Amino acid sequence: MFDDVNDLYQQVILDHCKKPRNFHEMPTATCSAQGHNPLCGDNLKLFLTLEGDVIKDASFVGSGCCISKASASLLTDNIKGKTKAEAEKTFEQVREMITTGQVNGDVGKLAVFAGVHKYPARVKCAILSWHALIGALKGENQPVSTESEQN
Ligand code: ZN
């Protein structure tokens, strides 16, 4: 899959792909959004529990390739405890990193996706769960598709 990317990064992605974190439905979620990437066939649903402005809990279900699952898994770990504004800022950092390879600020473990920009077909797999996050935060009930985005 990634021949020349850092081995450690590849291991983290494979680990989260095989054993996704927060991989379950959330009946108590306050908002959710469906994400679909028709180019690859990735389908996932993201659940959030908001308390005021803070994301108390996050989970996801669905099926897709290794990159999309690992991305959603790391996303749900990353955004727990963040405010909406902080999560939106992280989305911007991740989008820039995934599309250009440039890491701005501290993105923690999400840095494992910096190598994805070298594989244009995989960019949408990696960004899918982040579009679902923004859709859920906005309270949009429309499914999010990577094909409606200009990126
Ligand atoms: Zn995919």
Side-chain angles (χ1 to χ4, degrees):
M1 178 173 45
F2 292 146
D3 356 7
D4 59 345
V5 91
N6 184 302
D7 267 358
L8 176 69
Y9 284 8
Q10 191 167 349
Q11 275 172 26
V12 172
I13 291 174
L14 285 175
D15 177 50
H16 277 264
C17 164
K18 286 180 188 157
K19 292 177 288 179
R21 319 297 197 266
N22 313 303
F23 190 67
H24 55 81
E25 303 242 359
M26 194 187 292
T28 55
T30 53
C31 48
S32 65
Q34 189 96 35
H36 181 45
N37 173 15
L39 289 186
C40 178
D42 307 318
N43 255 311
L44 57 85
K45 189 171 185 186
L46 188 72
F47 301 91
L48 301 177
T49 298
L50 286 168
E51 219 175 272
D53 218 30
V54 177
I55 300 166
K56 282 288 183 190
D57 205 1
S59 71
F60 77 105
V61 294
S63 61
C65 65
C66 218
I67 300 285
S68 64
K69 269 162 60 183
S71 174
S73 174
L74 282 155
L75 176 153
T76 49
D77 260 357
N78 180 277
I79 60 169
K80 278 190 206 176
K82 287 190 170 174
T83 64
K84 280 188 197 180
E86 284 166 348
E88 279 165 15
K89 187 177 170 231
T90 306
F91 164 74
E92 294 299 335
Q93 287 172 313
V94 168
R95 181 164 63 175
E96 181 167 3
M97 179 184 75
I98 290 174
T99 52
T100 68
Q102 299 295 315
V103 183
N104 284 318
D106 180 14
V107 293
K109 279 189 196 166
L110 299 170
V112 299
F113 293 103
V116 172
H117 78 282
K118 285 182 275 182
Y119 306 84
R122 291 296 184 188
V123 165
K124 287 177 177 172
C125 302
I127 203 82
L128 177 64
S129 55
W130 290 92
H131 283 306
L133 167 69
I134 295 303
L137 287 177
K138 284 180 181 163
E140 289 168 354
N141 288 318
Q142 297 296 321
V144 179
S145 170
T146 52
E147 293 318 284
S148 61
E149 288 290 325
Q150 305 294 313
N151 60 15

